[in-house]
Amino acid sequence: MSHHTSSRTPSGQLDQLPDRDPEETAEWIESLDAVVRAAGPGRARLLLARLLEHGAHRGLDLPPVTRTPYVNTVPTAAEPSYPGDPDLEERITAYNRWNAAAMVTRASRYGLGGHMATYASAAWLYEVGFQHFFRGRADGGSGDQIYFQGHASPGVYARAFLEGRLTVDQLDRFRREVGGGGLPSYPHPRSLGGFWEFPTVSMGLGPLAAVYQARFNRYLHNRGLEDTSGSRVWAFLGDGEMDEPEATAALTLAAREGLDNLVFVINCNLQRLDGPVRGNGRVVQELESVFAGAGWHVVKALWGRDWDDLFARDHDGELIRRLEHTPDGQFQTYSAADGGYIRDNLLGGDPDLRGVAAHLDDARLAELIGFSRAGHEPRKVYAAYRAAIEHRGGPSVVLVQTVKGWTLGPGFEARNANHQMKKLRQDEFRVMRDRLDLPVADADLDGELPPYLHPGPDSREARYLADRRRALGGPVPARRVAFTPLPEPPALTEAPFAALLKGSGKQEIATTMAFVRLAKELMRDPVVGRSWVPIVPDEARTFGMESMFPTAGIYSPHGQTYDAVDRELLLSYREAVDGQILNEGITEAGAVASFTAAATAYATHGRPMIPFYVFYSMFGWQRVADQLWALADQMGRGFLIGATAGRTTMTGEGLQHADGHSQLIASTNPACMSYDPAFAYEIAVIVRDGLRRMLTATPGHPSGEDVFYYLTVYNEPLPQPAMPSPDAAEGILRGIHRCAPVLDVGAEVRVGAGVDAAAGAGVDVGAGADAGVGADAELLASGTAVRWALEAQRLLAEEWGVSAQVWSVTSWTELRREALAAGEDQVPYIERVLAEASGPVVAVSDWMRAVPDQIAPWVRQDWTSLGTDGFGLSDTRAATRTHFAVDAPSIAIRTLSALARQGKVKPGVVREAMERYGRTEG
């Protein structure tokens, strides 16, 4: 029998599994062969699918079926009863469709336009949600978090207008925000406060953010911080959007963590901006395979009720198989074709298949095939949503098929160019009016602009809208900030800040470690310690955060189901259901999505959290800058820590790992307070001020300030000095403070040949150097470069008799912003600081020169900047700093060169310095 079995069964993976009854196995295989011979492959496929389905119902642990028949998951016979008033909801949706199209068309007279086709196809996807699913926050809870598809915003505005939340004037100011009172083009919380919650129009970011929002809701719940058990996250997406890598990046996370509080709704209108999403393929089946393979529960809502009769007449399932193998590009053609074309091409020469539609004339066949979609029938949508939210154990995705541009008329529906169509003609509005049965007189469409329609505040429609939203917890979308401020952070002179202000003595500490130590101490605070959210992308040990593992724990909804290999160690890896650390794995995008969810919890859940995300600075801003713009739009608050910063600090890593530009990218984000501290005491001052500004009530900002912080820190262990004086705090926060006294220079200082050894013979020494007045030059530096400037100060004093004053520039960007904001009668801070300086200014950092050059317009002295422009490279720190000409000798040479231009040192000094330091270029 074993020989017989092997002759009929091809060798494969299953041969490796033990088979205790190979004879029975062979009989099953023979039975399947018999079905194929007698009834055909279609019957065999059905039997196998039935067996798999039955096995799943019996609780068998079977691998997921990643592609199921091309039909609705919920058959018509199994649809739950519809809970609302279908006729009234139909009328409300008609008003919304009209007003959305009218708003965009009216805006087009200013050359603005907008998008109509997306909402037209998705109107019922939203309306069913608004009427029966989306929970608001009027009851004080968290409600649902809803990520609306950005291009569908006109429909959301239209509904808010019907609810009385927006006025005609606001609709007429769609995309006209200058002067206030307008509506932003897409969901922008910062632009329309109190309305939008989540920015979503950077495609792909919405689905990624939604996954991590659902995950963060569970994090809050499992840590006992907030009851989010009643909250659900909905993400409305387009099928074309799913090509963005971020859109599917976190699917396995959602399944792995069992996020059954998450529902994706993908509008499969089969079109992207220029044409079919999959002209030669089938995007619905592809998406089903992707989501099912990732472990999601897939609900398909494809065909309208009119298809039921056709499928019932198709006794062999040939119509479904034909649809399964029809490319999307061809199917879009059917949506715009006449019945004869459909009969000849879709049904083809198969007499049985043609017989399925023989009772339909061409007009009816074209209408059914072209437009009967589940996404345009509220009962189908409701059934799909109900199936999604009732699923337990994992996330759900609803794949809904629609027609892009539905109800906008034949010029829009299923046309490749409809995404770029910004208005309807008045004759097209007449067609739309008749189709939607709306009360619009012909005379109202004689003018240039279509009217807005509203049934009146006391109409049945308005009362129904109000009643439904009242029953579901209030208006949606709505951003409600019930801010509960955190206590004022401890004073700088108190623990834990005081320890950093005292310095480290002879102990060498990198600024990365200084920040981590400070954060660890702040997390021990009995009042606000639990509000801290440490986030790291699988580099906690690199940044010295492993000491947090045993105490704070790493968040996992499953706890730790294994014995950690390092469990005997003091700093063992520990996962816990109530863990505080979000160790995201190797995904900067996921980490930023987590950061965003935590950084906006003060608004989403009314609970201020303090996220700090520590990452390789090189893989921060340049990799996720778009997400950080969305963070700013969503008014997130927290600390981004760009560790191992600088182009020459990360030795041995080479071109791609050397960050000399993240501070420049950060400067472009108006909500980001970016700092480049050199010392631990500066970090203490900045972090304390950030906590105060973002998370406590301050004068003029009772709900905190809508900013976030970016600090670049370094992995270069050095002794940390004490804070010079309490007065330094103001300069640290504003962007610059003097960090060292001017070194004494005198006649006994050794000077080079050709330079007179008398003060004034080649060097303008000046008096009052100890007080910082009369220095020959000003050295401005940030971050790790302050150490090089201090060494250059010593070289200049001891070897060249030049006095230099060293300033720590904690933020080039904040100095520039303050200068730009200064009025005509105000002197910028940087000008006031350097007002009495007579010598040249040399600025240096471990960043490209464009970073310090931000403040050059406001420096009245002779300006020279040094930086690490170009690509990084692998070598020692000393070698790379010499290569980029930012080390102490290079700073000294540039300072002497600037003094030579002013006639304060002899020209030969520069040449002599270059020779002494082995430099060939000045």
Side-chain angles (χ1 to χ4, degrees), residues 149-332:
Q149 194 176 0
H151 290 132
S153 62
V156 182
Y157 289 141
R159 190 177 206 277
F161 168 67
L162 218 61
E163 292 176 316
R165 299 177 62 200
L166 296 178
T167 65
V168 167
D169 181 64
Q170 285 177 296
L171 294 192
D172 259 354
R173 291 188 62 78
F174 174 59
R175 293 194 170 200
R176 295 170 59 214
E177 298 181 83
V178 174
L183 300 179
S185 53
Y186 301 125
H188 293 306
R190 187 175 283 269
S191 294
L192 195 60
F195 193 85
W196 296 114
E197 283 194 280
F198 306 106
T200 53
V201 86
S202 266
M203 292 191 179
L205 298 192
L208 178 69
V211 170
Y212 282 88
Q213 181 66 58
R215 191 279 204 93
F216 190 73
N217 289 359
R218 287 285 169 82
Y219 170 89
L220 288 175
H221 189 80
N222 288 341
R223 290 191 58 211
L225 297 174
E226 198 73 23
D227 182 6
T228 59
S229 57
S231 293
R232 180 168 284 107
V233 177
W234 298 80
F236 286 83
L237 316 166
D239 47 2
E241 180 178 7
M242 299 310 295
D243 282 347
E244 289 284 3
E246 296 91 346
T248 55
L251 298 187
T252 53
L253 168 71
R256 189 166 64 244
E257 300 207 356
L259 298 181
D260 52 18
N261 60 341
L262 174 66
V263 177
F264 276 17
V265 179
I266 303 180
N267 179 13
C268 298
N269 55 38
L270 313 186
Q271 285 184 241
R272 52 188 178 198
L273 308 190
D274 289 331
V277 178
R278 292 289 181 271
N280 297 308
R282 291 161 294 278
V283 72
V284 172
Q285 292 99 313
E286 179 183 318
L287 290 174
E288 180 183 24
S289 296
V290 168
F291 279 89
W296 286 53
H297 173 55
V298 180
V299 180
K300 291 187 294 187
L302 308 178
W303 312 112
R305 185 179 292 262
D306 287 346
W307 284 83
D308 289 348
D309 181 59
L310 286 185
F311 291 149
R313 293 169 181 267
D314 179 27
H315 303 298
D316 295 327
E318 182 58 30
L319 177 59
I320 293 174
R321 286 194 290 276
R322 186 68 59 90
L323 292 170
E324 286 178 338
H325 292 89
T326 299
D328 287 350
Q330 184 63 42
F331 195 75
Q332 288 297 87

Side-chain angles (χ1 to χ4, degrees), residues 31-218:
S31 297
L32 181 62
D33 288 344
V35 171
V36 173
R37 287 193 302 269
R43 176 65 179 165
R45 281 197 299 269
L46 177 63
L47 286 175
L48 288 174
R50 286 288 192 187
L51 284 172
L52 288 171
E53 181 183 57
H54 184 69
H57 289 322
R58 292 295 300 269
L60 300 182
D61 185 14
L62 297 169
V65 176
T66 61
R67 202 178 103 183
T68 58
Y70 201 39
V71 294
N72 297 340
T73 301
V74 182
T76 299
E79 289 173 4
S81 59
Y82 195 76
D85 184 330
D87 294 335
L88 203 53
E89 291 184 21
E90 182 87 42
R91 195 159 181 79
I92 288 168
T93 306
Y95 277 111
N96 292 340
R97 289 180 183 278
W98 178 276
N99 288 329
M103 179 179 68
V104 175
T105 297
R106 291 167 72 99
S108 68
R109 69 189 189 272
Y110 301 105
L112 298 171
H115 302 287
M116 289 191 279
T118 295
Y119 174 71
S121 70
W124 276 117
L125 307 187
Y126 291 114
E127 198 57 33
V128 171
F130 278 123
Q131 301 288 20
H132 305 290
F133 292 94
F134 301 160
R135 299 203 60 84
R137 296 179 56 193
D139 60 358
S142 295
D144 288 352
Q145 290 78 57
I146 304 156
Y147 290 75
F148 292 95
Q149 194 176 0
H151 290 132
S153 62
V156 182
Y157 289 141
R159 190 177 206 277
F161 168 67
L162 218 61
E163 292 176 316
R165 299 177 62 200
L166 296 178
T167 65
V168 167
D169 181 64
Q170 285 177 296
L171 294 192
D172 259 354
R173 291 188 62 78
F174 174 59
R175 293 194 170 200
R176 295 170 59 214
E177 298 181 83
V178 174
L183 300 179
S185 53
Y186 301 125
H188 293 306
R190 187 175 283 269
S191 294
L192 195 60
F195 193 85
W196 296 114
E197 283 194 280
F198 306 106
T200 53
V201 86
S202 266
M203 292 191 179
L205 298 192
L208 178 69
V211 170
Y212 282 88
Q213 181 66 58
R215 191 279 204 93
F216 190 73
N217 289 359
R218 287 285 169 82

Side-chain angles (χ1 to χ4, degrees), residues 770-787:
D770 286 337
V773 177
D776 299 316
E778 311 293 326
L779 305 183
L780 277 58
S782 70
T784 195
V786 173
R787 307 283 185 159

Side-chain angles (χ1 to χ4, degrees), residues 361-443:
D361 61 26
D362 283 355
R364 178 61 181 141
L365 180 62
E367 181 182 10
L368 190 156
I369 299 294
F371 300 119
S372 181
R373 302 288 187 274
H376 303 319
E377 298 183 13
R379 292 180 185 275
K380 300 286 185 189
V381 175
Y382 180 85
Y385 286 2
R386 180 61 57 190
I389 68 170
E390 290 178 352
H391 177 72
R392 293 291 177 267
S396 293
V397 58
V398 181
L399 303 177
V400 191
Q401 194 156 257
T402 67
V403 174
K404 193 167 186 178
W406 174 244
T407 73
L408 295 180
F412 265 80
E413 292 168 333
R415 301 295 176 178
N416 282 339
N418 57 23
H419 186 80
Q420 304 303 327
M421 297 177 182
K422 309 300 183 184
K423 62 181 179 180
L424 288 175
R425 301 187 308 271
Q426 295 297 58
D427 60 318
E428 292 173 316
F429 271 108
R430 287 186 175 88
V431 173
M432 187 179 182
R433 171 202 62 186
D434 296 341
R435 188 165 182 176
L436 298 176
D437 192 24
L438 287 167
V440 184
D442 284 339

Side-chain angles (χ1 to χ4, degrees), residues 20 40 61 191 220 351 362 388 459 474 494 512 530 623 644 724 748 751 770 781 787 800 807 812 840 912:
R20 65 181 184 183
D61 185 14
S191 294
L220 288 175
D362 283 355
S459 63
E494 299 175 4
T512 297
R530 297 185 72 208
R623 195 159 191 162
T644 61
E748 295 184 2
V751 296
D770 286 337
R787 307 283 185 159
W800 306 102
W807 302 82
W812 308 97
E912 182 182 351

